[in-house]
Amino acid sequence: MLLMIIQMSAITTAHILLTLILWKYFKDRSISTLAKVIIGLIYGGCSILSTHYGVQYEHMILNVRDLAPLSAGLFFDPVSGIIAGLIGGIERFIAGTYFGIGSYTRVACSLSTCLSGFVAALMNLYIFKSKKPSATYAFFMGAVMEVFHMYVVFITHRADMSMAFYVVRICSVPMIIFCGLGLALSSIVIRIYAGEWSNPFRKVSDEEIKVSQKFSYWLFIVTAAVVLMTFLFSFGVQTQSAVQSARIDLVTSCHDIRDTYESLRAENDDIGALNFHIGDGGSFNVIQESGDIVAGTHQGEMLTKEQVDFLNSQLGTDYFVADFISTEQSMCYAEKLDDMEILLVQLPMSEVYESRDAGAYETIFADIMMFAVIYVLISILVQGIVVNNLEMVNESLNKITNGNLDETVSVYNSSEFASLSNDINQTVDVLKGYIDAAEKRIAQELEFARTIQDSALPKNFKFARDDFEIFATMDPAKEVGGDFYDFFFVAPSKLAMVIADVSGKGIPASLFMMQSKTAIRTLAEGGGQPGEVLSRANNELCEANGADMFVTVWLGIIDLETGAMKCANAGHEYPVIRRANGQYELFKDKHSPAVAIMEDIKFKEYDLQLSKGDSLFVYTDGIPEAINTAIEQYGTDRMLSALNAHADEDLHSMLPAVRQDLRDFVGEAEQFDDVTMLGFKYM
């Protein structure tokens, strides 16, 4: 047996390696029609080799011929499996019919191999849907096909059940195990190389297990339990029937022998001439009290005194089991012929249970195939009726939860799923109503917030003096923004100008903007230079900055009598200056960190001298960093060009012109940042 196991293991390993090599070659390639045929031919050749180079065991030939078409159909393509099955099956029939190779089982073997290819093709298409089967399913398929193989041996040899039983008893277990293991290990190896292997012993939570897996598991357990209980009951009945039948045969034979014995005694003939057959391998013996066997199968032999005593103790019983004279356990029946002689008839237990064992094999094979068919059919039904519908519902729900509220669940092929679909759709409709109402309420609140924010920005650009002109605009990316501008007098002849950009967008940025604007204005109106104002504002904003926001600020205070200007830049864009009758140019001033990044920062100041006719333009990064549909930035060069193109216009015209140039550049692209600008002209 050990040699058989080694040889079968080697052949199975060769199949696994072939499957792995072919899979690695084709895994990144589409399998063309020609490739499908070639794969089928390769595995068909493997089937032929299995026919001619099987493993000798107990006067039988073992092989894994069905493994080839199963591998081709499951791991590659249905067409390949069918081709391999037909090649292997037809060649097996020819070899058995015309060349005497395994002629006794040629029909069963050829039919099983052909069917293996078709079964693999159907399973690939309708159960696994061109995916690799798990190791469990693979083993199940390989084992079931060999069970079918053995069952067909029985049904094609009804007239010679003894020989059929012998063939099945020798071949069934190793061929079933190695065919199943070959497919299972092929699946495992391929999954490992594909990176799809997961530890089967890893504990999996319920939420990770699919409904189909749970159903398949319990269907397998329940069906297997029913099949096992049915088999055990049938086996028990068959055992009792075999014992009763053997006992009747023994008693009948015993009476026939007794009648002949008495006839020979009456005529004074030699009782040694008694000649009877007890089944195929049974025996009878006439034994004297001394232990001598005077007639029967073992005439001339002798029993020990202990054996004779035991035999006397069993007289009058229905039967007993012992190994008298024969080398194996036998069912025995004994009767007293006269005061000096005992008749013992025996039937080997293997012969007693032969019909039972043959029937048990046939029954369990039939049950396994019935179980496989029922399991597959119910799995298909559950997949089609329940699992596929659940997947459709989940697919729609995923779209809904991802924000597509126009998606509808449309599974109406049963009352339960129709009710579920309607309930989900009604829930979504109600949700859409709530969302619409909430959006309207939020839109109203945002509009109100925008109005408040807009009102906080100075809109009066006309002053009762003619020594300067000022104008500013703010266009938020959302309903409310984080940019702001401001201008105000800190002394009768000193004007402060501020432009700032808060990190972030929306409501949080607008709230921090209001806080920043108020702090800077209050501190600037209290007196102090720009650097000092920003330092004190920085500390105030850091204290209440739970959201870790910051603001870039440019602050300038100009003395309108002299044109002297004190400025501070806290991480903001460079200002743009135009000297009288000149061009707008960037002024690369000194930068300090943004406000509210950390406490106790000293902000750098610098001086700027403006003369009559000079202009100043400050802005936020929403202008140079604006992007069009080609993912191109507007940039400071385009901004300067737009400024210079309208340099001679008043600020009320120039700033809207720059904004329009920016809008033309951006086109259909979404505005992602606030656009704020402030212009000042010293006159």
Side-chain angles (χ1 to χ4, degrees):
M1 177 179 286
L2 179 60
L3 179 60
M4 177 273 291
I5 293 174
I6 294 173
Q7 290 175 320
M8 290 291 285
S9 299
I11 294 172
T12 305
T13 302
H15 274 83
I16 296 170
L17 291 176
L18 173 65
T19 300
L20 177 61
I21 292 169
L22 290 175
W23 179 83
K24 290 181 70 175
Y25 180 80
F26 286 106
K27 69 172 183 176
D28 297 324
R29 297 177 172 88
S30 60
I31 302 180
S32 63
T33 302
L34 178 60
K36 295 174 185 178
V37 173
I38 292 174
I39 293 172
L41 292 174
I42 292 173
Y43 279 104
C46 291
S47 288
I48 294 174
L49 290 174
S50 292
T51 298
H52 294 272
Y53 298 97
V55 176
Q56 291 278 352
Y57 179 64
E58 295 288 336
H59 308 294
M60 292 286 110
I61 302 293
L62 306 180
N63 60 68
V64 287
R65 180 173 47 263
D66 296 344
L67 180 57
L70 288 171
S71 299
L74 288 176
F75 300 120
F76 296 98
D77 190 83
V79 173
S80 302
I82 292 172
I83 292 173
L86 290 175
I87 291 173
I90 293 172
E91 195 280 335
R92 173 65 180 89
F93 186 81
I94 293 172
T97 303
Y98 299 103
F99 299 98
I101 299 175
S103 57
Y104 184 80
T105 58
R106 67 185 184 280
V107 174
C109 292
S110 58
L111 182 60
S112 173
T113 304
C114 288
L115 192 61
S116 294
F118 284 97
V119 169
L122 293 174
M123 295 293 285
N124 188 326
L125 290 172
Y126 298 108
I127 300 297
F128 304 122
K129 301 186 184 302
S130 299
K131 298 178 181 178
K132 293 178 285 296
S134 67
T136 303
Y137 275 112
F139 180 86
F140 181 71
M141 280 198 62
V144 168
M145 286 312 304
E146 287 305 316
V147 166
F148 172 79
H149 185 173
M150 297 300 135
Y151 184 72
V152 177
V153 172
F154 274 126
I155 64 176
T156 54
H157 295 89
R158 289 297 185 188
D160 187 13
M161 288 298 288
S162 295
M163 184 60 186
F165 173 60
Y166 177 78
V167 171
V168 170
R169 183 170 60 84
I170 299 299
C171 299
S172 59
V173 173
M175 290 178 65
I176 289 171
I177 290 176
F178 280 101
C179 189
L181 282 177
L183 275 186
L185 292 175
S186 295
S187 174
I188 291 172
V189 170
I190 288 175
R191 283 177 174 270
I192 290 173
Y193 274 89
E196 301 173 3
W197 174 252
S198 59
N199 183 4
F201 302 105
R202 179 179 64 90
K203 187 176 181 180
V204 181
S205 61
D206 288 342
E207 63 185 21
E208 295 180 82
I209 304 175
K210 294 182 179 179
V211 173
S212 58
Q213 290 177 315
K214 285 188 176 181
F215 182 85
S216 297
Y217 173 79
W218 286 109
L219 175 63
F220 181 87
I221 295 297
V222 172
T223 309
V226 171
V227 169
L228 180 61
M229 287 188 293
T230 302
F231 170 75
L232 291 176
F233 176 78
S234 174
F235 187 79
V237 171
Q238 289 175 333
T239 299
Q240 291 297 322
S241 176
V243 170
Q244 291 296 329
S245 178
R247 179 185 173 280
I248 291 171
D249 289 344
L250 288 178
V251 172
T252 301
S253 298
C254 187
H255 290 168
D256 290 342
I257 296 170
R258 182 188 184 92
D259 291 341
T260 305
Y261 170 84
E262 291 176 350
S263 175
L264 291 173
R265 281 295 191 191
E267 297 176 2
N268 292 318
D269 287 338
D270 182 12
I271 63 171
L274 284 172
N275 186 15
F276 279 88
H277 292 285
I278 310 300
D280 291 331
S283 64
F284 79 97
N285 294 284
V286 178
I287 306 167
Q288 293 182 337
E289 285 294 333
S290 62
D292 291 325
I293 301 176
V294 296
T297 309
H298 300 91
Q299 184 177 355
E301 298 183 21
M302 186 173 181
L303 300 183
T304 65
K305 183 178 184 304
E306 290 78 11
Q307 289 176 321
V308 174
D309 291 342
F310 175 76
L311 192 57
N312 282 317
S313 70
Q314 297 299 321
L315 292 174
T317 60
D318 281 346
Y319 69 91
F320 61 95
V321 178
D323 57 354
F324 277 114
I325 308 170
S326 63
T327 57
E328 62 177 307
Q329 291 284 311
S330 301
M331 176 182 281
C332 305
Y333 178 76
E335 279 190 4
K336 196 80 169 177
L337 293 177
D338 54 30
D339 292 339
M340 300 299 294
E341 294 176 335
I342 300 172
L343 174 60
L344 173 65
V345 290
Q346 296 174 283
L347 191 64
M349 295 305 295
S350 59
E351 188 172 339
V352 171
Y353 292 132
E354 183 177 9
S355 61
R356 180 207 66 177
D357 293 344
Y361 270 92
E362 186 173 359
T363 299
I364 193 62
F365 289 162
D367 288 346
I368 290 174
M369 288 188 297
M370 180 182 68
F371 164 75
V373 171
I374 292 174
Y375 182 84
V376 170
L377 289 178
I378 293 179
S379 296
I380 292 174
L381 287 174
V382 171
Q383 184 73 31
I385 296 174
V386 179
V387 177
N388 288 346
N389 288 337
L390 285 176
E391 289 177 351
M392 291 170 63
V393 171
N394 285 334
E395 183 180 353
S396 295
L397 283 175
N398 286 334
K399 293 179 180 179
I400 292 171
T401 54
N402 287 331
N404 183 9
L405 298 183
D406 294 326
E407 175 70 16
T408 58
V409 182
S410 303
V411 182
Y412 292 101
N413 52 12
S414 69
S415 61
E416 291 82 3
F417 280 105
S419 177
L420 178 62
S421 298
N422 290 332
D423 289 345
I424 293 174
N425 293 333
Q426 290 173 6
T427 302
V428 173
D429 289 340
V430 172
L431 179 63
K432 288 167 69 175
Y434 283 126
I435 291 174
D436 289 342
E439 286 179 344
K440 290 178 181 178
R441 184 180 70 254
I442 292 171
Q444 292 173 348
E445 292 174 353
L446 287 175
E447 179 62 25
F448 183 60
R450 189 194 67 77
T451 302
I452 294 175
Q453 184 185 42
D454 189 60
S455 65
L457 300 176
K459 292 293 189 295
N460 181 20
F461 302 107
K462 295 181 180 179
F463 294 87
R465 53 194 305 163
D466 57 1
D467 52 354
F468 73 93
E469 178 188 1
I470 194 167
F471 187 71
T473 65
M474 202 274 276
D475 185 8
K478 296 185 176 181
E479 289 81 354
V480 290
D483 288 5
F484 71 89
Y485 66 85
D486 201 1
F487 51 87
F488 48 88
F489 282 98
V490 297
S493 63
K494 289 188 176 182
L495 178 68
M497 293 174 283
V498 183
I499 191 164
D501 183 1
V502 175
S503 62
K505 305 288 180 294
I507 295 291
S510 68
L511 293 175
F512 197 71
M513 162 258 180
M514 295 293 290
Q515 187 180 3
S516 303
K517 178 178 178 298
T518 301
I520 292 172
R521 182 164 188 160
T522 300
L523 293 170
E525 288 179 338
Q529 298 300 323
E532 181 186 355
V533 170
L534 291 183
S535 294
R536 293 170 63 191
N538 174 72
N539 289 338
E540 285 188 15
L541 293 174
C542 282
E543 289 179 3
N545 190 13
D548 292 329
M549 303 186 78
F550 62 88
V551 56
T552 64
V553 183
W554 181 89
L555 170 61
I557 300 175
I558 185 171
D559 187 335
L560 295 174
E561 293 180 352
T562 64
M565 193 173 190
K566 287 283 188 180
C567 306
N569 190 330
H572 201 74
E573 301 292 319
Y574 292 124
V576 178
I577 296 178
R578 179 191 182 222
R579 298 301 179 180
N581 300 320
Q583 297 283 314
Y584 278 102
E585 296 176 347
L586 283 179
F587 179 76
K588 296 187 177 182
D589 56 1
K590 299 177 181 179
H591 274 57
S592 298
V595 173
I597 287 180
M598 59 183 297
E599 293 183 292
D600 299 328
I601 296 178
K602 300 300 182 182
F603 291 87
K604 300 176 183 177
E605 291 182 359
Y606 63 90
D607 295 319
L608 189 64
Q609 180 64 47
L610 296 184
S611 302
K612 300 294 183 179
D614 291 351
S615 298
L616 175 71
F617 178 81
V618 287
Y619 54 95
T620 60
D621 60 7
I623 296 178
E625 293 179 4
I627 293 176
N628 62 11
T629 54
I631 318 298
E632 298 174 332
Q633 283 192 341
Y634 184 69
T636 54
D637 290 342
R638 286 189 177 89
M639 181 185 71
L640 292 173
S641 297
L643 287 169
N644 290 319
H646 303 277
D648 295 331
E649 300 177 15
D650 59 49
L651 298 178
H652 289 74
S653 299
M654 186 185 74
L655 265 64
V658 173
R659 182 67 183 91
Q660 185 59 47
D661 186 72
L662 176 65
R663 193 175 290 114
D664 293 341
F665 171 81
V666 170
E668 299 296 326
E670 181 181 2
Q671 179 184 339
F672 67 90
D673 201 359
D674 303 334
V675 174
T676 305
M677 59 186 94
L678 182 148
F680 174 82
K681 186 172 183 179
Y682 185 49
M683 301 171 64

